């Protein structure tokens, strides 16, 4: 069967109806769970919606967007979101890749190590936040004990009370989970890599780096694109870990856009402003994902 | 919110058992002799009521409403949700159409909930004027707005007090508990310099709680932050900047631990109990937490007024009546509300008495402090006349806190105060930022 034989032109009316029936349940589910809330959020963002939600309230056009984009609180939060996202995406992808490469090598206890990789991924984001809050605690946290033991520090530090280290620790906590997810996907990709490719390259005199650069990495490209795009989206939408660890503090040091949205929508119930923020964040996450895909595929299309 | 969590952690287990016993005894008595269990307060309603509370001693809540039901009243379905995020969760439920007959709420949300049609005014309900009349004059404005609308009933009340370690002060050669801000600074410095304790002063300076401290310390300096109309008059008083200078110095000079920006009050109480701190300003009932932790310094921790002016902040979270329109149901819910937030049918503060036993919580009624059962319920280490006097003449509720725009301001205070403590803003800039936050909140829609 060729691709052209599957084109819509070749499908009979009955085939198209059958296809429509097959996809209809998923389509309806998506419409209800995704499309309706999206449309509502956009509608809310154009109104001054009362907290009780009994009506849309007066139409205000783009006023909510003007308020959001004219606020230094928004831009500060956007900058924090950007910093968090860069750290999260880069670290979780690289660490995930490193873990996948390591767990693809034969060694005693590899099965156990692979099983352990699942644990962070199986732990809910909120639990990760609570665990890391205690781990990073300045008085009783294990992180200080570890750093003291390896000689990286000479005294206990209150990481979550310092604006710079608080952001870094929230990134590390979120990466701890997401890297295992990246590792699992990339390991699955590595396991499909035929062993004779690397053997042939070795016989031709390729060193470890050359084999990684020219064989492993191109082979993993589809999985890497998926992982990176998901990481970008997870980064922009991250909420639970940061909220559990710092609630956006100290000050506004870790107040990413999702926390600002939570505060506006559910705390002070300014539904219109919160919805405008949500729409903006949605576009940013979508754009981030699309740009990542474009960049990765553009790089992949270049001759090796 | 976390304050109540702490008390739960500290005293929950033992008290819970006691209350379950009490609840069991009450239920047994009611089963054996229904006629003796008191008159039915809500005889006209035969269904069940829905009540929502945050998770401070949930077993006690259920026992208390069980006692009410055992008197021939309707059953009450009590739902309990975590206090962290209670307000967002409650608003989401109400927005989604949940009909809740009676619920806990934060005082600063109370007028907003009336305005949004999520809660009912209490005016005209039988006995409500007596309830308000029973209150301390100082407390009334938290429950009755400027227009005379009665918007809520008390769930519990507290006054901010200074907790200090008497032994540590003695070891450092400090004869009496410091009174003024300068004296607290100097005493903390002495304690630190003499290596009595590394970080003498702890405060519940997490973002969501900074607003309470704002009022506590401003009132202590004789400044009421907002006038009755909600104008941020703190901006015009030079003492405000002085308070912020003091806060910044306490944090920046290492007299408070760096971690206080994130520490929950359970940890702070424990630091007092373990001797890792010498001063702790928070609600009076935290003395129960500190003492019941049984740390090496617990018994040395005393309680006194904050500052020499004896002016502090009176807080209290509230009960609100749902907006249901069924008269019989509403009457039953009001009966439950009276029982839970005022007195039982025998005229006793039975619910508040239980909360006093459980965690040292108080009620904003002078009669509460003279009730022999209540006096017996408070542990001996409390100076009950001092707390009563503080309620009566030494504290204010700041009526502007119940205005509908206030939650928006409350949400903004934490960021501003943290910037001050971290040295990112000067005291003057902090005054300006808080004034701007108050004005923006009143104007509507702002981040």
């Amino acid at each position: 069967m060729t691709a052209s034989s599957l084109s819509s032109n070749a499908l009979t009316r009955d085939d198209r109806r059958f296809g429509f029936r097959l996809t209809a349940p998923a389509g309806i589910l998506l419409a209800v769970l995704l499309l309706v809330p999206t449309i509502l959020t956009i509608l809310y963002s154009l109104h001054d919606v009362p907290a009780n939600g009994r009506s849309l309230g007066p139409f205000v056009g783009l006023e909510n967007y003007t308020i959001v984009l004219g606020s230094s609180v928004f831009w500060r939060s956007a900058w924090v979101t950007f910093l968090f996202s860069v750290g999260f995406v880069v670290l979780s992808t690289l660490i995930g890749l490193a873990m996948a490469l390591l767990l693809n090598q034969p060694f005693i206890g590899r099965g156990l190590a692979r099983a352990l990789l699942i644990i962070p991924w199986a732990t809910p984001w909120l639990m990760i936040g609570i665990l890391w809050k205690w781990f990073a605690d300045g008085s009783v946290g294990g992180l200080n004990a570890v750093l003291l033991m390896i000689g990286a520090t000479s005294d206990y530090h209150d990481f979550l009370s310092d604006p710079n280290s608080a952001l870094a620790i929230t990134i590390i906590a979120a990466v701890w989970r997401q890297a295992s997810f990246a590792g699992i996907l990339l390991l699955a990709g590595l396991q499909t890599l035929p062993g004779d490719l690397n053997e042939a390259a070795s016989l031709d005199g390729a060193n470890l780096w050359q084999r990684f650069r020219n064989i492993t990495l191109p082979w993993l490209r589809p999985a890497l694109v998926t992982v990176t795009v998901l990481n970008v989206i997870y980064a922009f939408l991250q909420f639970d870990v940061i909220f559990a660890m710092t609630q956006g503090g100290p000050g506004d040091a870790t107040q990413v856009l999702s926390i600002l949205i939570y505060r506006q929508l559910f705390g002070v119930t300014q539904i219109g402003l919160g919805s405008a923020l949500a729409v903006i964040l949605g576009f940013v996450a979508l754009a981030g994902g699309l740009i990542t895909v474009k960049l990765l595929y553009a790089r992949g299309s270049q001759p090796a | 919110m976390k304050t109540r969590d702490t008390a739960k952690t500290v005293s929950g287990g033992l008290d819970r058992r006691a209350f379950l016993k009490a609840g069991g005894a009450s239920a047994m008595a009611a089963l054996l002799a229904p006629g003796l269990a008191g008159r039915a307060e809500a005889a006209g309603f035969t269904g069940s009521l829905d009540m929502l509370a945050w998770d401070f001693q949930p077993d006690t809540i259920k026992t208390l409403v069980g006692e009410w039901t055992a008197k021939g009243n309707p059953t009450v379905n009590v739902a309990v949700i975590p206090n962290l995020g209670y307000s967002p969760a409650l608003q989401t439920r109400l927005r989604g159409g949940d009909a809740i007959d009676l619920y806990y709420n934060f005082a600063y949300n109370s007028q907003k909930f009336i305005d949004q049609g999520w809660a009912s005014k209490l005016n005209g309900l039988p006995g409500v004027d007596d309830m308000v009349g029973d209150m301390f004059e100082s407390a009334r404005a938290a429950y009755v707005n400027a227009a005379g609308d009665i918007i809520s009933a008390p769930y519990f009340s507290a006054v901010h007090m200074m907790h200090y370690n008497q032994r540590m002060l003695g070891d450092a050669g400090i004869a009496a508990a410091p009174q003024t801000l300068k004296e607290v600074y100097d005493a903390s410095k002495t304690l630190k310099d003499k290596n009595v304790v590394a970080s003498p002063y702890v405060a519940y300076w997490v973002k969501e709680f900074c607003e309470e401290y704002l009022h506590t310390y401003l009132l202590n300096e004789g400044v009421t932050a907002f006038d009755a109309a909600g104008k941020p008059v703190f901006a015009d008083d030079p003492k405000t900047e002085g308070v912020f200078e003091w806060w910044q110095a306490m944090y920046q000079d290492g007299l408070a631990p760096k971690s206080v920006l994130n520490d929950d009050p359970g940890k702070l109480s424990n630091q007092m109990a373990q001797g890792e701190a010498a001063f702790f300003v928070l609600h009076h009932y935290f003395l129960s937490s500190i003492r019941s932790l049984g740390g090496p310094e617990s018994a040395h921790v005393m309680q006194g007024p904050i500052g020499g002016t004896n002016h502090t902040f009176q807080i209290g979270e509230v009960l609100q009546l749902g907006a249901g329109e069924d008269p019989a149901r509403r009457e039953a819910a009001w009966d439950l509300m009276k029982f839970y937030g005022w007195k039982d049918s025998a005229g006793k503060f039975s619910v508040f008495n239980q909360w006093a036993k459980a965690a040292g919580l108080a009620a904003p009624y002078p009669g509460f402090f003279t009730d022999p059962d209540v006096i017996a319920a408070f542990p001996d280490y409390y100076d009950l006349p001092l707390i009563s006097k503080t309620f009566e003449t030494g504290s204010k509720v700041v009526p502007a806190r119940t205005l509908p725009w206030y939650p928006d301001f409350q949400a903004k205070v934490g960021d501003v105060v943290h910037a001050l403590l971290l040295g990112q803003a000067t005291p003057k800039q902090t005054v300006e930022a808080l004034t701007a936050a108050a004005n923006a909140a009143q104007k509507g829609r702002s981040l």
Side-chain angles (χ1 to χ4, degrees), chain A residues 180-225:
Chain A
S180 74
F181 169 71
I184 292 163
L185 287 189
L186 295 174
L187 180 61
L190 276 177
Q191 286 174 339
T192 63
L193 176 65
D196 51 1
L197 282 178
N198 269 315
E199 280 175 28
S202 293
L203 288 173
D204 287 343
N207 61 25
L208 191 67
W209 170 250
Q210 285 169 325
R211 276 182 278 142
F212 173 73
R213 173 76 182 81
N214 296 309
I215 295 171
T216 309
L217 217 48
W219 187 270
L220 280 179
R221 188 176 302 123
L224 262 176
V225 170

Side-chain angles (χ1 to χ4, degrees), chain B residues 88-395:
Chain B
L90 172 62
Q91 290 180 101
T92 305
R93 283 183 180 216
L94 293 169
R95 188 180 157 84
D98 256 18
I100 309 169
D101 298 298
L102 182 68
Y103 51 85
Y104 285 15
N105 204 355
F106 297 99
Y108 60 75
N109 269 335
S110 45
Q111 183 64 52
K112 173 185 170 183
F113 275 48
I114 298 277
D115 290 355
Q116 294 300 325
W118 287 333
S120 300
K121 292 175 194 168
L122 307 178
N123 299 56
L125 289 169
V128 72
D129 293 330
D130 294 333
M131 181 187 83
V132 172
D134 259 8
M135 290 177 180
F136 283 113
E137 182 71 39
S138 63
R140 223 163 272 159
Y143 309 96
V144 185
N145 68 18
D149 297 329
I150 305 167
I151 55 178
S152 63
Y155 153 47
F156 80 91
S157 283
V159 284
H160 281 256
M161 302 291 272
M162 163 79 89
H163 302 89
Y164 59 95
N165 186 312
Q166 200 167 39
R167 183 198 64 77
M168 285 182 178
L169 294 183
D171 287 357
I174 301 165
Q179 297 287 302
T180 64
L181 293 180
K182 185 176 183 313
E183 285 172 6
V184 174
Y185 180 92
D186 291 343
S188 299
K189 191 108 180 49
T190 304
L191 288 163
K192 187 179 174 73
D193 291 345
K194 290 189 174 180
N195 289 322
V196 177
V197 60
S199 305
Y201 180 87
V202 290
Y204 187 26
W205 262 326
V206 300
K207 283 172 72 170
E208 64 179 351
F209 204 79
C210 287
E211 177 260 349
E212 267 199 36
Y213 273 129
L214 177 74
H215 292 298
T216 302
Y217 280 90
L218 288 182
L219 283 170
N220 185 44
E221 293 297 293
V223 181
T224 303
F226 295 92
D227 67 13
K231 190 182 169 210
V233 289
F234 66 84
D236 306 323
D237 198 317
K239 287 180 195 156
T240 304
E241 216 172 300
V243 167
F244 295 159
E245 275 166 16
W246 185 84
W247 280 5
Q248 196 171 46
M250 292 297 284
Y251 191 76
Q252 290 290 320
D253 294 353
L255 301 177
K258 296 297 175 203
S259 62
V260 287
L261 304 187
N262 280 305
D263 288 341
D264 63 75
K267 184 176 170 186
L268 303 179
S269 295
N270 196 44
Q271 283 179 316
M272 290 295 288
Q274 298 299 328
E276 294 163 7
F279 300 113
F280 181 28
V281 169
L282 203 55
H283 308 155
H284 72 268
Y285 55 79
F286 272 87
L287 189 59
S288 290
S289 307
I290 297 165
R291 292 293 188 117
S292 59
L293 276 164
E297 296 293 331
S298 288
H300 301 132
V301 177
M302 305 295 164
Q303 190 172 70
I306 309 167
T309 58
N310 191 26
H311 275 97
T312 191
F313 186 39
Q314 184 185 136
I315 67 108
E317 306 312 354
V318 300
L319 299 169
Q320 284 203 281
L321 191 66
E325 288 172 1
D326 176 354
R329 190 179 187 96
R330 184 176 155 80
E331 190 188 334
W334 165 238
D335 275 326
L336 174 62
M337 191 177 190
K338 277 193 294 185
F339 169 80
Y340 207 88
W342 184 29
K343 293 174 178 171
D344 62 19
S345 54
K348 305 288 282 180
F349 293 101
S350 55
V351 169
F352 286 114
N353 186 20
Q354 297 278 37
W355 287 125
K357 272 186 204 167
L361 306 186
Y365 303 108
F368 169 82
F369 289 97
T370 54
D371 184 324
D373 292 340
V374 171
I375 292 168
F378 269 96
D380 291 343
Y381 48 75
Y382 277 103
D383 184 348
L384 215 50
L386 171 67
I387 295 172
S388 175
K389 189 181 159 210
T390 308
F391 265 98
E392 191 173 359
T393 58
S395 58

Side-chain angles (χ1 to χ4, degrees), chain A residues 48 50-54 63-64 137 139 158 160-161 247 250-251 255 262-263 266-271 273, chain B residues 2 84-85 88 91-92 95 112 116-118 207 258-259 261-262 267 407-408 411 415 418 422 424 445-447:
Chain A
D48 184 8
N52 60 28
R54 287 175 191 157
E63 208 175 280
N64 287 324
D137 186 274
S139 310
D158 289 302
L160 297 179
S161 298
Q247 293 181 45
Q255 189 161 272
Y262 170 79
R263 189 170 92 175
F266 301 104
V268 298
T269 51
Q270 288 183 344
I271 310 294
L273 276 186
Chain B
K2 286 175 180 173
L84 183 64
Q91 290 180 101
T92 305
R95 188 180 157 84
K112 173 185 170 183
Q116 294 300 325
W118 287 333
K207 283 172 72 170
K258 296 297 175 203
S259 62
L261 304 187
N262 280 305
K267 184 176 170 186
D408 190 23
D415 289 355
H418 274 201
L422 290 165
Q424 296 166 344
R445 283 185 299 148
S446 66
L447 290 183

